[in-house]
């Protein structure tokens, strides 16, 4: 089993972009499980749960699909667009963050990804960032993207 982790965060950015139109991305069972585990972890630390965001789901979906189709694993998009610019195409927030994982698997993979992020200090910091209030999640062929944003 191959596993890789990456994170990125851009606090207090001041630019806002309009969210593009598009259909909501439906989360699968593993993606929903990962969010439940992240929220349980946040609750253990006295933090509110993250609300699922359709816009952030679309952002995460775009990135996981881009990584799969173009065979790379990194925060910038395949065209070099920084992650925070990509995420702000969907949400116009002051603070955004992102975690990535590369983990294939069946049953329990959502919990495993959340555990990997929880057990890695830089990823843990993203999960426990108090300003984050929303989350979007997508996995494509074992490539996971979780996008985070502060409240509006």
């Amino acid at each position: 089993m191959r596993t890789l982790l990456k994170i990125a965060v851009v606090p207090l950015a001041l630019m806002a972009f309009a969210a593009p139109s598009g259909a909501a991305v439906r989360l699968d069972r593993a993606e929903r499980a990962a969010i439940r585990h992240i929220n349980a972890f946040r609750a253990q630390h006295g933090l509110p749960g993250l609300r699922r965001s359709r816009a952030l789901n679309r952002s995460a979906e775009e990135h996981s699909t881009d990584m799969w189709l173009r065979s790379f694993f990194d925060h910038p998009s395949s065209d070099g667009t920084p992650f925070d610019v990509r995420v702000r195409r969907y949400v116009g927030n002051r603070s955004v963050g992102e975690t990535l994982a590369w983990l294939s698997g069946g049953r329990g993979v959502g919990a495993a990804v959340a555990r990997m992020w929880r057990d890695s200090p830089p990823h843990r910091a993203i999960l426990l960032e108090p300003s984050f209030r929303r989350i979007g999640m997508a996995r494509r062929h074992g490539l996971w993207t979780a996008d985070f944003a502060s409240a509006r």
Side-chain angles (χ1 to χ4, degrees), residues 64-97:
S64 286
T65 299
D66 185 33
M67 289 190 296
W68 172 249
L69 292 175
R70 290 167 184 83
S71 301
F72 75 98
F73 183 73
D74 205 355
H75 291 285
S77 299
S78 62
D79 66 0
T81 302
F83 94 93
D84 60 311
V85 173
R86 174 180 37 81
V87 173
R88 286 194 181 90
R89 288 179 184 150
Y90 295 88
V91 295
N93 293 79
R94 290 174 30 116
S95 182
V96 296

Side-chain angles (χ1 to χ4, degrees), residues 26-137:
R26 256 194 124 131
L27 299 182
D28 69 18
R29 180 180 294 167
E31 293 161 341
R32 289 189 311 270
I35 292 171
R36 277 194 312 276
H37 286 277
I38 290 167
N39 281 336
F41 181 60
R42 286 176 61 90
Q44 291 171 357
H45 290 84
L47 295 170
L50 301 166
R51 289 189 347 248
R52 286 188 268 174
S53 162
R54 289 179 181 160
L56 288 171
N57 287 344
R58 289 191 303 268
S59 172
E61 167 72 21
E62 175 188 317
H63 195 57
S64 286
T65 299
D66 185 33
M67 289 190 296
W68 172 249
L69 292 175
R70 290 167 184 83
S71 301
F72 75 98
F73 183 73
D74 205 355
H75 291 285
S77 299
S78 62
D79 66 0
T81 302
F83 94 93
D84 60 311
V85 173
R86 174 180 37 81
V87 173
R88 286 194 181 90
R89 288 179 184 150
Y90 295 88
V91 295
N93 293 79
R94 290 174 30 116
S95 182
V96 296
E98 180 170 84
T99 58
L100 303 177
W102 191 352
L103 177 64
S104 298
R107 189 176 183 151
V109 71
V113 165
R115 187 171 44 257
M116 287 169 48
W117 287 333
R118 180 196 70 205
D119 293 345
S120 162
H123 294 85
R124 179 185 183 98
I126 298 290
L127 300 183
L128 296 178
E129 171 54 48
S131 70
F132 292 152
R133 295 289 192 252
R134 296 184 293 156
I135 187 171
M137 182 81 63

